Amino acid sequence: MSCSADAVKEKLLWNVKKEVKQIMEEAVTRKFVHEDSSHIIALCGVVEACLLHMLKRRAAGFLRTDKVAALFTKVGKTYAIAGDICKKVQELQQQVESRKNQPNGQEPLKRQGSTTSKTPVLTPQAIKHIWVRTALIEKVLDKIVQYIVDNCSKYYEKEALLADPVCGPILASLLVGPCALEYTKLKTADHYWTDPSADELVQRHRIHGVHGRQDSPSKRPALGIRKRHSSGSTSEDRFAASAREYVESLHQNSRTHLLYGKNNVLVQPKDDLEAIPGYLSLHQSADSLTLKWTPNQLMNGTLGDSELEKSVYWDYALIVPLSQIVCIHCHQQQSRWTLVLVSQDGTQRPPLHFPQGGHLLAFLSCLENGLLPRGQLEPPLWSQQGKGKVFPKLRKRNSNKSVDLEEMPAEDTSTDYVFRIIYPGHKHDNNTSEMIEMQGFGANLLSWQLEHCSQGSSCVSCSTGSSPYDIPSCCNCIHDRTPLKMLCESMKRQIVSRAFYGWLAYCRHLSTVRTHLSALVNHTIVPPDKPSSAAGGLTKEVWSKYQKDKKNYKELELLRRVYYGGVQHEIRKEVWPFLLGHYKFGMAKKEMDQVDEDIALRYQKVMAEWKACEVIVKQREKESHSATLAKFSSGSSIDSHVQRLIHRDSTISNDVFISVDETDSAERDSKGQDDPSFTVVSADTPAAVAAVEQQSVEFDSPDSGLPSSRNYSVASGILSSIDDGQSVSFEDGAEEEASADLERTDPDTPRMQKAKSVVLQSQDSVSEEQLCSQIELLDTVALNLHRIDKDVQRCDRNYWYFTADNLEKLRNVMCSYVWEHLEVGYVQGMCDLLAPLMVILDNDQLAYSCFSHLMKRMSQNFPNGGAMDTHFANMRSLIQILDSELFELMHQNGDYTHFYFCYRWFLLDFKRELLYEDVFTVWEVIWAAKHISSEHFVLFIALALVEVYREIIRDNNMDFTDIIKFFNEMAEHHDAEEILRIARDLVYKVQTLIENK
């Protein structure tokens, strides 16, 4: 007895220590603690549990429901500090009560009349713990607890925690720290982020995670999925929220229909316990019928003060899918009806005791209606005129004719019924019919016409067998004519049949999984240790052997080494062009030189073209700026010009970049008035209106971590000019073909190439159409150049490589690529993809070629492509199959199975998530994985990132906002080697699943 009492004390004290540690950590990291912090509520809850431990009934008050209030009131009579707390709590309770009773219309008048007294807004949890919370906020809780410890004999039993000479003073000492903290009501910039940082969560997992995995290192712990209340809610808050939601589910809602409900239905959970009253309900959804019984103690959503009561009562609650029930036994005992449910495997659920009256008959009637049209009761209830549904008339056991219940003598009246739940068309129904024939029922006897037992032989014993069809020896039934061997054979057939159909369903599911995932991985498994271990990666020695003689290593062997071990840093500059497709494996030295020469000529040509266009753009901007200044200085048409600028800003939206060609309008306005070659189109024409509508686009920054709401193309969103009335616009071009010479065949390219030639040729004689195309092109180039300049200046500015000269090289490469892909233009994030190539290759011509090859895959991740939605769908399928428990948790906590938090990962190939040195390793593994394991290896890296922090996500019950915050804080803190190892294991798992190994 003493051991269990000591264990309870230690647990209570340990809970206090844990919550004190939490609140002190928050105070250290945030310099203060907000009064609405969930840690305060949690601390108050555990302190109340300690104060209520073995409290004397006299101290708790005989009629007081709030024992803590009674304790504080008694202590306040002899201790002045506690008396002050009692007065403040009473004032708070009065203010809260008056606020609750205040009519809605009078609240604004009260605020206008009195600004000095503001009614505090307290959460329900704060009101629940208002006594301890007020003492804590006032910084006197430790003194009150110490006073109670010193005078414990007045208030507590001898075995109480506060009466313990060791535990009592420890509790008071633990509260000294929280009572010394500063608590504030101010809302700071990060007021809503009251959770610990990502680093703190990881550190806690490292400390406590080892102990949690000692019992079963290979078995993954089950997820306790509960709907979250808030990101910082404690376990008590979550449990209360879960209880409320469960109780709400017992009523009629949009998902289920309530067919039956009855209070005070008794259930005896255990033999040594008394029957507990509860609420019995029958619910029907689209494809199922469910019986629920909930103890009355849980119906209010509050479970009392003891954690033991919570767990016990939740264990007593029943949720029974009726698809698992085959038999219903009904027995009458002393004018009360008892119902026993028997499952398919022969196990029986705890008996349900109905109150006196026709409640059982009403329940069976609702159940029979709910089973239709797919199922039915056997025997069915009978309909009697004037009475409605009644129990069926049963046949006397040793008689061949039916006898009505009214004609039977009292001793022969049946008080026991056995109903079967059958689904016509199911195969197991035939087995049951066969069994009835085996038991001696003639062929002319209907299967539902059950024989009744005598009063002296109650059929309650029939439900105690291992099967609903077992006949006990104490029952005076027809078991003497039933061959036991045939019954066993029938049961054997049923067991084998269920096992077979379960196996068949599993095989069909597995076939569907294989079909769906087969496109995500290569079907040929390339092992890491054959012909030799590839853990060391592609080293300098191996590469030197390959350079000397191409026959020493095959392409697949080199890629295998890269995939399992990466590339040694000293040879990355030589290997990366092969991985990206600039060179082909097996090329001779002369062929490689020829490729370099062709790329150099092409790069110089492209640079000359866009630099010539840049000169024209800058000249136009300069002239436009001068004309705008002149117009502003003269004061003419200022209002109309400003209005046009506002309109232009509202039609092109970008989170980061700002359009700077607003000033072009003034110059083109003046030219449009003097130059007859400019054709002015009225803004009221349908073409102009359509052009303005087409120009309204959005683009989300990759920093946001969220995908844009629709596809966006720079060229399709840029018009020649709104101000001068030109309504010529680009159409979205087709995707660029993945050819080695980078030639494009989309329909917009010829017109774009023609516009480029017009810009670069002599301006002596050009047609009106060519002039419109020229203006259109210049506007597009100006916008793209401005966006590139903005992004280049801030691209990895803290990394040592990006000096002014190297940033200029980065700009030249990016402008050259965009010049050749104006139909797509520059989109934010492209510089992030080019920067690591520049660091490794340190050659702008080589970087230009490799970046062009890289963008053949990556361009589809940007908003003008459609690969991002495919990534999200594949992620959803992978995690649903490989980790269904985590998928269910994501679905419950706000349903973030859309995986939008992975947007930046896929857009930039995890470049912002890892350190620069790790980015090199991860990228080259992704490039090699296309040939070794999976073309979609980025999916498995993303899944590995989620799996690494699986327990942290589970333990903290993260929702969508929490997980975005967590991964943003964890950027550049991931273990790249571990993530790659997990990703390779996940690919291998899917490959073996498809191969059926």
Side-chain angles (χ1 to χ4, degrees), residues 375-443:
Q376 66 186 47
L377 285 181
E378 184 178 303
L381 297 176
W382 287 11
S383 297
Q384 186 172 348
Q385 188 175 5
K387 292 186 178 181
K389 295 286 187 179
V390 296
F391 285 106
K393 297 180 181 180
L394 302 183
R395 178 169 297 179
K396 200 172 181 181
R397 179 167 308 280
N398 296 323
S399 176
N400 292 327
K401 62 179 182 177
S402 177
V403 180
D404 292 344
L405 290 177
E406 293 82 355
E407 300 174 359
M408 290 183 182
E411 62 272 10
D412 292 338
T413 303
S414 174
T415 58
D416 298 303
Y417 294 86
V418 179
F419 295 92
R420 289 193 305 124
I421 299 179
I422 63 172
Y423 298 90
H426 285 209
K427 295 185 177 182
H428 68 270
D429 296 334
N430 299 330
N431 296 335
T432 308
S433 300
E434 293 175 3
M435 182 176 296
I436 292 176
E437 290 186 8
M438 294 176 198
Q439 292 175 347
F441 294 99

Side-chain angles (χ1 to χ4, degrees), residues 127-169:
I127 296 175
K128 180 180 178 181
H129 305 291
I130 190 170
W131 291 89
V132 177
R133 180 179 180 274
T134 304
L136 178 64
I137 300 298
E138 297 296 328
K139 304 181 182 180
V140 295
L141 180 60
D142 58 330
K143 298 178 182 178
I144 295 176
V145 173
Q146 184 63 52
Y147 177 83
I148 295 175
V149 170
D150 295 339
N151 301 272
C152 58
S153 59
K154 297 180 181 179
Y155 311 107
Y156 290 93
E157 304 291 346
K158 294 182 179 180
E159 295 81 8
L161 183 143
L162 271 75
D164 191 287
V166 177
C167 297

Side-chain angles (χ1 to χ4, degrees), residues 161-447:
L161 183 143
L162 271 75
D164 191 287
V166 177
C167 297
I170 290 178
L171 176 63
S173 301
L174 286 172
L175 297 176
V176 173
C179 289
L181 300 178
E182 294 294 331
Y183 300 95
T184 179
K185 296 180 181 179
L186 297 178
K187 292 185 178 181
T188 58
D190 58 347
H191 163 63
Y192 294 103
W193 297 117
T194 59
D195 292 342
S197 63
D199 289 336
E200 177 66 20
L201 293 177
V202 174
Q203 289 296 332
R204 291 180 186 176
H205 175 66
R206 289 174 180 171
I207 295 173
H208 303 292
V210 178
H211 304 288
R213 291 192 299 267
Q214 282 180 348
D215 297 336
S216 178
S218 60
K219 183 178 179 181
R220 171 165 289 171
L223 287 173
I225 301 172
R226 292 172 182 162
K227 189 71 174 177
R228 70 193 324 279
H229 179 64
S230 65
S231 60
S233 62
T234 62
S235 59
E236 183 179 352
D237 298 336
R238 294 171 189 161
F239 197 92
S242 175
R244 287 193 296 272
E245 291 176 4
Y246 176 79
V247 173
E248 290 173 2
S249 71
L250 300 179
H251 304 286
Q252 182 89 4
N253 54 65
S254 59
R255 295 185 299 272
T256 60
H257 298 285
L258 179 63
L259 299 182
Y260 177 83
K262 182 68 185 77
N263 289 322
N264 296 324
V265 176
L266 300 178
V267 168
Q268 186 176 1
K270 298 180 181 179
D271 295 337
D272 56 345
L273 294 178
E274 296 182 357
I276 301 174
Y279 178 72
L280 180 69
S281 55
L282 184 64
H283 305 267
Q284 185 180 40
S285 61
D287 55 353
S288 65
L289 199 63
T290 305
L291 180 71
K292 295 183 180 181
W293 179 84
T294 308
N296 288 342
Q297 287 82 354
L298 301 179
M299 292 303 296
N300 294 328
T302 57
L303 307 174
D305 299 320
S306 172
E307 189 73 24
L308 179 61
E309 291 182 1
K310 295 181 183 179
S311 60
V312 167
Y313 283 118
W314 277 113
D315 291 341
Y316 294 163
L318 299 178
I319 300 178
V320 182
L322 287 175
S323 59
Q324 301 176 2
I325 303 300
V326 293
C327 278
I328 299 177
H329 292 234
C330 304
H331 310 287
Q332 188 176 16
Q333 298 173 348
Q334 298 178 357
S335 71
R336 287 179 178 268
W337 282 98
T338 300
L339 182 141
V340 179
L341 304 175
V342 182
S343 302
Q344 295 173 354
D345 56 359
T347 59
Q348 62 181 18
R349 305 303 175 101
L352 301 172
H353 304 280
F354 284 80
Q356 294 182 0
H359 302 296
L360 176 62
L361 192 60
F363 169 76
L364 293 175
S365 178
C366 295
L367 174 61
E368 188 176 42
N369 293 332
L371 289 172
L372 297 175
R374 289 169 291 189
Q376 66 186 47
L377 285 181
E378 184 178 303
L381 297 176
W382 287 11
S383 297
Q384 186 172 348
Q385 188 175 5
K387 292 186 178 181
K389 295 286 187 179
V390 296
F391 285 106
K393 297 180 181 180
L394 302 183
R395 178 169 297 179
K396 200 172 181 181
R397 179 167 308 280
N398 296 323
S399 176
N400 292 327
K401 62 179 182 177
S402 177
V403 180
D404 292 344
L405 290 177
E406 293 82 355
E407 300 174 359
M408 290 183 182
E411 62 272 10
D412 292 338
T413 303
S414 174
T415 58
D416 298 303
Y417 294 86
V418 179
F419 295 92
R420 289 193 305 124
I421 299 179
I422 63 172
Y423 298 90
H426 285 209
K427 295 185 177 182
H428 68 270
D429 296 334
N430 299 330
N431 296 335
T432 308
S433 300
E434 293 175 3
M435 182 176 296
I436 292 176
E437 290 186 8
M438 294 176 198
Q439 292 175 347
F441 294 99
N444 58 346
L445 181 62
L446 295 178
S447 61

Side-chain angles (χ1 to χ4, degrees), residues 58 261 358 442 477 486 525 535 563 579 585 692 707 819:
R58 182 182 301 174
C477 299
M486 299 181 69
I525 299 178
Y563 175 72
L579 296 177
F585 283 96
V692 172
W819 175 257

Side-chain angles (χ1 to χ4, degrees), residues 833-848:
L833 297 175
L834 176 59
L837 299 180
M838 292 293 299
V839 173
I840 293 298
L841 302 176
D842 197 24
N843 182 307
D844 46 355
Q845 298 174 3
L846 190 57
Y848 164 74

Side-chain angles (χ1 to χ4, degrees), residues 586-602:
M587 271 188 173
K589 181 65 175 175
K590 292 182 179 180
E591 294 175 326
M592 295 168 58
D593 293 340
Q594 182 62 40
V595 171
D596 290 339
E597 185 178 348
D598 294 342
I599 289 296
L601 293 175
R602 184 182 184 86

